[in-house]
Amino acid sequence: MSGSIALGLATIAVLLKLYFDARAAHAAGEGAIAGESRVVPLSSFAYTLMVTGVVVVAAGVVLVLIEPWETASATTIAAVLGGPAIFLVGDVALRRAVTGRIAASRIVALVCLAVLALIGFALPALVLAALAFALLLLLLLAASGWFRLPSLSVDD
């Protein structure tokens, strides 16, 4: 049980680190190309998505704590994988609004979450949560410069 709690806290810590990195990038205005009037509403929406994703992950932690070794239910899969997916959609929207680019690492992470959702019914809830954490940790390492995937230029 304590392993489930530690895993949940570590997952939330990784998401919060990604969140504060995104806020710092937005505050610095990294290569802002969009008009300020368009960036502010979109960034507010993106922040809302990111915070919502963290809250959904917290709900997923509770669901994993209830039955860690039982096969993951649809609700558990939705919370454990949907939370990071919501967060990443917000992160992509924010970075797109500020820089005009979409990080390929975020898209790859979203695809990996979708694949995990497809096989999630065959996995214990704790294993599913551990895989989601590992994916987010790899994303954080990529964002911190340990390795980089290319970013995609998105023209209006």
Side-chain angles (χ1 to χ4, degrees):
M1 182 156 144
S2 63
S4 300
I5 295 171
L7 181 62
L9 290 175
T11 302
I12 291 171
V14 167
L15 285 176
L16 289 176
K17 173 67 173 140
L18 288 168
Y19 174 80
F20 288 117
D21 287 351
R23 284 191 60 99
H26 183 216
E30 286 185 348
I33 61 164
E36 188 64 32
S37 61
R38 194 177 100 199
V39 171
V40 172
L42 184 57
S43 63
S44 298
F45 177 69
Y47 287 134
T48 302
L49 283 176
M50 293 169 79
V51 171
T52 301
V54 173
V55 171
V56 172
V57 167
V61 169
V62 172
L63 292 172
V64 170
L65 281 172
I66 293 171
E67 294 180 334
W69 296 110
E70 295 296 318
T71 304
S73 66
T75 306
T76 303
I77 292 170
V80 169
L81 301 177
I86 293 167
F87 179 90
L88 290 174
V89 168
D91 186 59
V92 166
L94 178 67
R95 291 179 188 279
R96 168 65 174 99
V98 173
T99 65
R101 301 181 72 75
I102 296 175
S105 60
R106 271 53 173 185
I107 303 303
V108 169
L110 283 167
V111 169
C112 290
L113 287 170
V115 170
L116 284 175
L118 292 175
I119 64 170
F121 290 104
L123 300 173
L126 187 60
V127 172
L128 185 66
L131 290 172
F133 168 72
L135 176 66
L136 292 170
L137 186 60
L138 282 173
L139 182 62
L140 180 63
L141 291 174
S144 66
W146 281 56
F147 58 91
R148 286 225 189 269
L149 291 174
S151 60
L152 308 170
S153 179
V154 182
D155 296 326
D156 286 334

